[in-house]
Amino acid sequence: METNCSNLMPLSSDFAEKERSICIFGTGDFGRSLGFKLLQCGFSVIYGSRNPNSATLLLPKGVQALSHTEAAEKSSVILLAVHRDHYSFLTKITDVLEGKILVDVSNNLKINQYSESNAEYLAQTVPGAKVVKAFNTVSAWALQTGTLDASRQVFVCSDDREAKGTVIDIVCAMGLSPQDQGSLVAAKDIENYPLQLFPMWRLPMYVCAGLTVFVFLYCFLTDVIYSAVKEGKDISFRISISIPNKVFPIVSLLLLGLTYLPGVIAAILQLYRGTKYRRFPDWLDRWMLCRKQLGLVALSYAFLHAIYTLVIPIRYYVRYRTSNSIITQIRNNDTSAFVNMYAWRTDSYIAMGILGFFFYVLLGITSLPSVSNAINWREFRFVQSKLGYLTLLLCTGHALIFGWDRFMYFSRFRWYLPPAYTLSLVVPCIVLILKLILITPCIDKRITQIRQGWEKSSKVQTGTKFANGDFTMECNI
Amino acid sequence: METNCSNLMPLSSDFAEKERSICIFGTGDFGRSLGFKLLQCGFSVIYGSRNPNSATLLLPKGVQALSHTEAAEKSSVILLAVHRDHYSFLTKITDVLEGKILVDVSNNLKINQYSESNAEYLAQTVPGAKVVKAFNTVSAWALQTGTLDASRQVFVCSDDREAKGTVIDIVCAMGLSPQDQGSLVAAKDIENYPLQLFPMWRLPMYVCAGLTVFVFLYCFLTDVIYSAVKEGKDISFRISISIPNKVFPIVSLLLLGLTYLPGVIAAILQLYRGTKYRRFPDWLDRWMLCRKQLGLVALSYAFLHAIYTLVIPIRYYVRYRTSNSIITQIRNNDTSAFVNMYAWRTDSYIAMGILGFFFYVLLGITSLPSVSNAINWREFRFVQSKLGYLTLLLCTGHALIFGWDRFMYFSRFRWYLPPAYTLSLVVPCIVLILKLILITPCIDKRITQIRQGWEKSSKVQTGTKFANGDFTMECNI
Amino acid sequence: METNCSNLMPLSSDFAEKERSICIFGTGDFGRSLGFKLLQCGFSVIYGSRNPNSATLLLPKGVQALSHTEAAEKSSVILLAVHRDHYSFLTKITDVLEGKILVDVSNNLKINQYSESNAEYLAQTVPGAKVVKAFNTVSAWALQTGTLDASRQVFVCSDDREAKGTVIDIVCAMGLSPQDQGSLVAAKDIENYPLQLFPMWRLPMYVCAGLTVFVFLYCFLTDVIYSAVKEGKDISFRISISIPNKVFPIVSLLLLGLTYLPGVIAAILQLYRGTKYRRFPDWLDRWMLCRKQLGLVALSYAFLHAIYTLVIPIRYYVRYRTSNSIITQIRNNDTSAFVNMYAWRTDSYIAMGILGFFFYVLLGITSLPSVSNAINWREFRFVQSKLGYLTLLLCTGHALIFGWDRFMYFSRFRWYLPPAYTLSLVVPCIVLILKLILITPCIDKRITQIRQGWEKSSKVQTGTKFANGDFTMECNI
């Protein structure tokens, strides 16, 4: 909801005056920005400072600046916009802070900088206060300019539910959207959150970049350099469209294969171990956790491949070649016959590519947070597993029929290198073959049992357990 | 927010020790998975079991296994991971459960399997406990592997608000996102939720599949079989692209018509009845509730139609035909003249198609949950109704201008069957004509009155009502 | 979550009977719709009316109609579906309303119609009641038909947290999704919300419409009218595709430039003022607040440009021209040579266009509410700023290379007007040059200082402040 806190005057409702006045310790940038925004939204703001007189000069108009003790007495809510290193000064005024709501808004400079979160450290320093963690994910710059597109979310956590409620109400009144994160244990995650820069995307991006560079060089070598060396032709203009349009589909299919490979490996590992209660090796865990990102990178490459393909007939080079071939046919009085088989083949791989891309886009849409939140686990598994494998099958088929029998003509290999498209096919084919084996009824049944809690070593005991009244909830697979 | 519960050691904060220890009844798969996850997130976990000694073997390391009574005494929160059929054993230990928070995590095997929800049944069985429904939408498999993309949402409901708050805090601490669903009455829906498999999509998918098969056979008959029988030509390769590219647009336009038809029927029914306070017939209700899904299926077919159309110039068949026609022209020394009219017509239907598709995509984007939640009812009505009819108009125009006068040349009909595109036009044209009638001022005014609460039979009374101070809120149409 | 409130019978749980019965004052359309829905969801509904007997005729079956006082006594929750002008009648029954939860569901006819919100006015009228604002964003029509796609969200606010909790539970039980908006101060925004019709989109749409009309007329003049006047040729068919495909990219690039211009102006202004603590001029503020919308309009035009470009080879006019040029070449026995340079140039601008469009779509996806909520401020800034300028750079390069040296051939200008594409380049080039200057290390350092709270005038004081323990949180830029 868009809120218009255009009212710059503090509201003067006699009732609940103390509720509407908020104390801020710290007159640094973030403290001032918070005060500015609170003032705009109708709160009266009191700053606590060591030098109230000099501080006033810096502060937004309409606020009071008092000593820490005086300021704290005027409000039941104190926002602590002070660096963690200076929390110790609070120990001198613990008696004023007794029972007050103390809001820790601090961030650190590095992820996991301290062993305990700033908010938990604050709670230990001032045990009498009700410590709430909030506002650290909001940007001072955004608070002042009002451009709050991405940073409306304010994560709030506290061990005191009443205090948390009060802070949540303040967050609402400021036009921000509070996110209750539970008890103060969550503070560590909340403090780490604003320091992250796409942590889940890093590995997939590196893999993708590496593959892209490799495949590009491969294509550049067999295309441009081969032509220049062997035929003395300069076809360097192919760098801008023709070669990318080989790189994108190859890397995309590879990545799609890599998205489904860890699931297959995990299933084999569970089959081999005969239990699901042992952790996977770390590399497999990390790989499984970034499958979504791998898939989305692959989708973006598939999208680029689609557009690069659709512009083919617009390109000067292609138009030139087409008209040249027609002119040559006429000059030589030679008409090529229509080959039904060839029409079938080309139309098939185009159709498979389109359908594959379509299901791929569907998968991408269901991985949007709001869509994946609106479907349940059963539906998600249906989409990601069934539709995912269908996509992989269609895209692999697309590449196979596109390539047809070219990979067999060693005579046409350039410098003994097979055509580039073959690079993309190894991983997806392995995944599809392994998956085919895994869904044969006998193996599938065993995997299902394992995922429902069955264990090779404790067969008898599980049997007893059922009789005991403790039940494996089969719906919760 | 990504949470990193990498800390496997239980936190040992002296303060609130009991708060941080959680008891689980049931050592089945889901009970064990919950315990595993809770342990990871810093809780201490105590299992309650009939045979604590044998149970220990199965449980994650670091947990305690005690008898039910002993375990319950150690914690104020008890997760009940036991099948509904075995709830009766709780009646023997009601005194220990008095005042405890009892969390029902169970699911059923079928939708509406029992008359009352498991959680309500539990509340009747142990009246002294504060029953909370939670965790049933999370998958055991996902809890263990940490791949929680789709299943982060935990629906929580309870009649005791304090108990609900405690469970919500636990859910947060586990890195899941709690969804407050109100009082325990909601438990039934929450228990049905994970059993659903796209219930709203079923009808639209059946309709779509039926239409697709019918139109495909129609096109196959008039295209491929007709050619084979009458002209002896094998054009079966058209199955992969040419025929789908007839089927997709035809079915898409039909479905788009069917999306807007029920709204028109409902308006006519209300006009006829003179009131909005009578329920629609069941079939109309069901139809109206799946309009969004119908529209999205139609959009996906339109998307496929767009790509199938854009690949046309890449296809071997098309390129062959083009070069063939040029060669023929030259050999016959015959140049076709540029027909301005034809350029107008083809460009127009292409432009209408593109604009129609564009608005269609816009409609699709606004139906994403996060987008439709960010707009209010007035804006939603504007988009879905105004833009929706504009889309229908543009797409129908696209088909009409594409078809032009072909439907009138009976001589060119194949086996007396009209060209396939005419199939798609009947429903949209009916909808558009009816809509045109409905938006004529006099009829529109009456419908608006009815939708604001006016009733044919109670004209006088409504008049009185207004004077009475009970007011129809006209903004809430 | 889909809820199925198909149960039409009121639930008869002895326990908490009063909790489950809800009183509605007002038998107008919205009051009746609410009662209908509550009844469906298992509540028992009692209407309060001046003329209970005559009112009954209008009401849904299964409800009671009593006098206001009698009705209020039967329930602890009263929904007030009465117009604000009639709130005064409540003063006569304040004693019955003492301590009751009074839910204001009203809307106004205009934004900011009254100085205080209806709910705050109600709280003043009946000081003894716990006033909650809710349900005003839901549509009566949607409540009755059950088509609640867009209007599931119910904004709830109140100064009484317990009362708010009760109403939130009722909202949940009705299958709607409550949104806690904090204290009663939020009521004003909540009441304005349903009256808005895309307020943030208005300015961008006007700008876009103005530019579209201007560029269209410019192209129409230099294309169609110039041809008609000077060459006597009728190329009016170009109106449907060729000219739009000039208008869309030109306006899109212009708008993209206008999206990034205010940020650059703001940075220069801050540099010049030497502080970030002074408000921007109003026009700049408004401009900055609608950047997202400007960017999305530009994206939609870029999307249209992409499709209009991809259909080029399908168009009759283009196909005619192609075959004509081939025929002419053959007849004149004249073969045009392949120009490597030209292949490079055309392929480059196509590739830049595709990549620019790709990043543009990425930007669009990250501005979906659910995606931008899932990323933190640092990530958002990375995407919108880094990727945004990359997009602008690629699109400007696309236009520059497309245009090449055409803007220099004054002889080929039509009526002294430069080619249309030059129109689009001025703004983006200015933005890019200014940005280039702003990111030079010395200037960038100063801007960063300013945005962290540094002020030209208070250099010394800030130095003291640091020593004082009040710290600028640098992570919160």
Side-chain angles (χ1 to χ4, degrees), chain C residues 177-332:
Chain C
S177 60
Q179 299 284 318
D180 189 340
Q181 295 291 307
S183 59
L184 211 58
V185 191
K188 195 162 191 79
D189 287 326
I190 297 179
E191 286 172 13
N192 282 336
Y193 180 71
L195 298 169
Q196 294 173 346
L197 190 60
F198 297 111
M200 304 300 290
W201 287 88
R202 223 161 277 178
L203 184 59
M205 291 310 272
Y206 289 151
V207 171
C208 173
L211 286 173
T212 305
V213 169
F214 171 73
V215 177
F216 182 84
L217 290 178
Y218 191 96
C219 293
F220 186 70
L221 189 73
T222 53
D223 247 40
V224 176
I225 297 191
Y226 185 87
S227 275
V229 170
K230 293 273 171 167
E231 303 165 22
K233 278 204 298 187
D234 174 15
I235 54 164
S236 60
F237 69 91
R238 292 172 73 89
I239 289 173
S240 44
I241 295 194
S242 306
I243 292 183
N245 202 20
K246 286 184 181 183
V247 174
F248 290 135
I250 290 170
V251 175
S252 177
L253 189 51
L254 263 172
L255 289 175
L256 189 59
L258 291 176
T259 308
Y260 285 94
L261 189 52
V264 171
I265 295 177
I268 292 171
L269 210 63
Q270 288 182 326
L271 262 184
Y272 172 76
R273 290 171 169 181
T275 176
K276 70 164 185 178
Y277 292 110
R278 273 171 59 198
R279 285 202 84 108
F280 294 127
D282 257 12
W283 57 268
L284 187 56
D285 249 0
R286 272 224 299 282
W287 193 354
M288 286 184 83
L289 284 172
C290 70
R291 283 183 295 178
K292 179 179 157 185
Q293 284 75 16
L294 270 176
L296 288 176
V297 174
L299 172 57
S300 65
Y301 268 42
F303 176 77
L304 282 169
H305 169 48
I307 308 191
Y308 269 94
T309 303
L310 292 175
V311 298
I312 286 176
I314 300 173
R315 292 174 60 201
Y316 164 69
Y317 164 66
V318 174
R319 282 183 289 133
Y320 179 85
R321 221 178 42 180
T322 307
S323 76
N324 223 29
S325 98
I326 294 173
I327 292 169
T328 312
Q329 273 185 55
I330 289 173
R331 295 229 168 108
N332 300 348

Side-chain angles (χ1 to χ4, degrees), chain B residues 459-476:
Chain B
K459 225 173 185 173
V460 191
Q461 279 173 325
T462 314
T464 337
K465 233 158 32 67
F466 271 81
N468 259 359
D470 293 341
F471 192 79
T472 303
M473 246 162 290
E474 275 156 303
C475 338
N476 261 313

Side-chain angles (χ1 to χ4, degrees), chain B residues 416-430:
Chain B
Y416 309 106
L417 294 171
Y421 83 93
T422 53
L423 297 179
S424 68
L425 283 167
V426 184
V427 179
C429 288
I430 291 174

Side-chain angles (χ1 to χ4, degrees), chain B residues 379-435:
Chain B
E379 293 163 345
F380 185 77
R381 262 188 21 128
F382 175 82
V383 170
Q384 294 296 326
S385 171
K386 298 272 159 66
L387 283 195
Y389 274 104
L390 181 60
T391 305
L392 184 60
L393 194 66
L394 283 167
C395 292
T396 312
H398 170 66
L400 277 172
I401 299 178
F402 165 78
W404 206 241
D405 52 5
R406 268 193 286 164
F407 69 96
M408 299 196 304
Y409 293 100
F410 290 100
S411 58
R412 272 161 48 192
F413 281 19
R414 292 168 169 182
W415 288 329
Y416 309 106
L417 294 171
Y421 83 93
T422 53
L423 297 179
S424 68
L425 283 167
V426 184
V427 179
C429 288
I430 291 174
V431 172
L432 286 173
I433 291 165
L434 288 177
K435 183 70 187 175

